[in-house]
Amino acid sequence: MSSLVSIDTLIVDIPTIRPHVLAMATMRSQAMVIVRLVDADGIEGIGEGTTIGGLSYCEESPESIKSAIDDYIVPVLMRCDPTRVGATMAEIASSVRGNHFAKCAIETALLDMAGKRLGVPMSELIGGGRVRDRLPVGWTLASGNTSVDIAEGERMLSDRRHDIFKLKIGKRCLREDVAHVAAICRALGDRASVRVDVNQNWSEAQARRGMAMLQDVGCDLVEQPIAGDNVDGMARLVRSLPIPLMADEALRGPGSAFRLANSAAASVFALKIAQSGGPLAAAAVAAIGLSAGIDLYGGTMLEGGVGTAASAQVFSTVPNLAWGTELFGPLLLTEEFLADPLVYGDFGLTVPTGPGLGVALDP
């Protein structure tokens, strides 16, 4: 039986390149919880737990993630064999309820160690292994200013960095938001896919009206327009409107994925490893979606390089990512903390091929 000899957690707080305006908060920096495990053989595993906008997005914050790991998960880890990832995570699940982001950071680090121990990328430990080495990556236009967003989108297209754009709306009145989206669709829509994310900020009545208006102006997809726990309302919107509805905050792991699929309450699933409770749970969410005929999209919590690499490893195993991914988190940060940055270009991200996550921290 192997054992851990070192467990470190730290919060890394890095400014963003510009304000990132969401319906519930404006981000000017991103705080990421980084986990570093070392076993008795000297093998290191790293993981990341990152959320958006502190407690304005969900029940976990950087501080609560670190506390959950240090005070509740570490004592369990110290009596487990880190080479047995499934058994270790089951033991943690029996001792710690919820706390998906904290569990994701730990599971990622354990899978990173397992990949390094076996000399294979983390993707080869999930399902049938990877089916692609590159992922299409979208960019969120979230300055809140129409002309600024258009100029930013033009730069991304010119640099061949992104041709998928998601707009954060829901903070302004419906007509203003639709006018903002319409202007961007007119400017960029013939060269890129334009989608929106409302972050649960509409009522069902607003969503019914807003989604119809958004389809008319050329928007391709609407993400989580109403509260994630209003599954019946989501199902009514899916039945009555042709524009695809993507579930995000409604997805909290395989159980919620099954309920959404059973209720036909989403056209698309936004896969997120942290929100699902870890890479293995995210793979299960993907399997449920594919089995139910629901399209998939690789989502992000705006993680840094570690969490983004982990997400990329999982998404590389998904047979059909109909809507691409949005793994742009490291590009939103003013500083890099990986020894070798992830490789972006030609509208996509190259999935690391080294053992485990395929990335290392810059000390």
Side-chain angles (χ1 to χ4, degrees), residues 76-77 80-93 106 110:
V76 180
L77 276 176
C80 291
D81 181 350
T83 67
R84 302 182 64 196
V85 179
T88 298
M89 293 309 300
E91 186 72 16
I92 290 171
I106 295 297
L110 291 171

Side-chain angles (χ1 to χ4, degrees), residues 97 166 170 176 182 214 237 240 257 343:
R97 304 297 178 192
K166 187 166 80 173
E176 289 180 1
L214 287 167
L237 292 171
S240 62
V343 179

Side-chain angles (χ1 to χ4, degrees), residues 17-229:
I17 59 174
R18 54 148 168 78
H20 194 73
V21 182
L22 301 96
M24 67 292 190
T26 297
M27 294 174 55
R28 293 180 171 83
S29 65
Q30 180 61 302
M32 296 151 283
V33 180
I34 303 298
V35 174
R36 179 175 175 267
L37 310 179
V38 181
D39 70 8
D41 297 320
I43 298 175
E44 178 188 77
I46 55 176
E48 177 181 340
T50 296
T51 184
I52 297 173
L55 288 174
S56 65
Y57 180 84
C58 70
E59 298 87 352
E60 292 181 72
S61 68
E63 297 79 11
S64 75
I65 293 168
K66 186 178 189 314
S67 175
I69 293 171
D70 291 346
D71 298 331
Y72 296 94
I73 295 178
V74 165
V76 180
L77 276 176
M78 294 306 292
R79 63 176 185 260
C80 291
D81 181 350
T83 67
R84 302 182 64 196
V85 179
T88 298
M89 293 309 300
E91 186 72 16
I92 290 171
S94 70
S95 302
V96 179
R97 304 297 178 192
N99 290 280
H100 281 192
F101 292 74
K103 289 175 179 175
C104 178
I106 295 297
E107 184 175 274
T108 297
L110 291 171
L111 289 168
D112 185 34
M113 295 177 77
K116 290 171 179 173
R117 191 176 293 110
L118 297 171
V120 298
M122 191 179 98
S123 58
E124 305 315 294
L125 306 177
I126 298 171
R130 72 172 62 187
V131 296
R132 57 174 62 82
D133 294 314
R134 282 180 51 79
L135 298 168
V137 175
W139 178 256
T140 295
L141 298 172
S143 74
N145 182 291
T146 304
S147 59
V148 169
D149 282 353
I150 290 173
E152 191 173 285
E154 291 286 4
R155 287 196 303 273
M156 298 301 175
L157 287 167
S158 177
D159 293 342
R160 294 187 61 79
R161 212 176 78 174
H162 307 283
D163 59 0
I164 300 168
F165 298 114
K166 187 166 80 173
L167 316 181
K168 291 289 188 178
I169 65 172
K171 202 165 189 175
R172 297 174 287 202
C173 76
L174 194 150
R175 285 191 175 279
E176 289 180 1
D177 270 339
V178 172
H180 172 68
V181 177
I184 293 173
C185 285
R186 286 194 299 271
L188 308 176
D190 60 338
R191 293 167 290 157
S193 175
V194 179
R195 302 101 179 255
V196 302
D197 185 3
V198 190
N199 285 124
Q200 310 181 88
N201 223 43
W202 283 345
S203 67
E204 186 177 339
Q206 286 176 309
R208 188 174 305 280
R209 183 177 174 216
M211 290 172 69
M213 294 168 70
L214 287 167
Q215 172 143 344
D216 288 344
V217 301
C219 178
D220 293 331
L221 175 75
V222 178
E223 182 174 350
Q224 203 62 62
I226 64 175
D229 58 4

Side-chain angles (χ1 to χ4, degrees), residues 7-21:
I7 303 173
D8 296 312
T9 61
L10 64 151
I11 297 176
V12 180
D13 200 354
I14 299 179
T16 55
I17 59 174
R18 54 148 168 78
H20 194 73
V21 182

